[in-house]
Amino acid sequence: MISAQNQIKGRITNIQTGEAMSLVTIQAGDHTMVSAITNHGVKALALKANDTVTAVVKSTEAMLIKDGGPQVKISARNLFKGQVASIDKGEAMGFVKVTAGSLHLGAAITRHALDEMQLAVGSSVTVAIKATEVMLIKE
């Protein structure tokens, strides 16, 4: 059991090894996701192509981009277009659930950002997650 909100099952399609880090590409249904992990992590998990893994991302590491505004260029490798499914508003923080095709993702953002973005159920958003924030669990 793990407390991270975002847990995405998929299959490794590619591992690109660098000097200290590797980029692991995962196919999860109709979505592709990239995880940047250390070469030591790849070796310790004995990761290889076609292995089944679960990509894990804490909701505090997911960013939201409201669609329909000016084009935003962002370095995050994992971008999932979807719609806001629900919003929980607290005094300091909010929690936004997003449906992006077959994926259901959660993002914890400040209440100020939530109000400033004027998000509502049905709003079009893109969930952005840096590859360095994607942890892998081997099945």
Side-chain angles (χ1 to χ4, degrees):
M1 212 50 168
I2 189 166
S3 66
Q5 172 71 30
N6 302 305
Q7 300 179 33
I8 302 161
K9 290 192 182 294
R11 183 181 54 80
I12 295 175
T13 58
N14 186 46
I15 300 175
Q16 181 182 358
T17 304
E19 202 166 308
M21 300 283 292
S22 292
L23 293 178
V24 180
T25 304
I26 302 131
Q27 190 66 41
D30 53 349
H31 297 280
T32 301
M33 187 170 215
V34 177
S35 173
I37 63 174
T38 64
N39 292 340
H40 174 74
V42 170
K43 187 175 180 180
L45 292 173
L47 296 177
K48 60 189 177 314
N50 292 317
D51 280 350
T52 300
V53 294
T54 300
V56 178
V57 180
K58 292 172 50 179
S59 61
T60 53
E61 301 302 334
M63 297 172 277
L64 296 179
I65 302 166
K66 187 171 183 184
D67 293 347
Q71 272 304 55
V72 175
K73 293 188 180 188
I74 188 167
S75 64
R77 295 285 308 268
N78 301 298
L79 301 171
F80 305 101
K81 288 185 171 278
Q83 287 75 39
V84 173
S86 67
I87 301 172
D88 295 325
K89 292 182 182 180
E91 291 211 21
M93 297 289 295
F95 185 77
V96 181
K97 288 185 183 176
V98 176
T99 300
S102 60
L103 298 181
H104 303 284
L105 304 167
I109 64 174
T110 65
R111 174 65 188 262
H112 178 77
L114 188 59
D115 292 342
E116 188 176 74
M117 293 175 75
Q118 298 179 343
L119 293 177
V121 171
S123 294
S124 292
V125 295
T126 299
V127 179
I129 302 169
K130 291 178 60 175
T132 54
E133 302 305 328
V134 179
M135 297 172 277
L136 297 178
I137 299 172
K138 186 173 179 182
E139 301 293 312

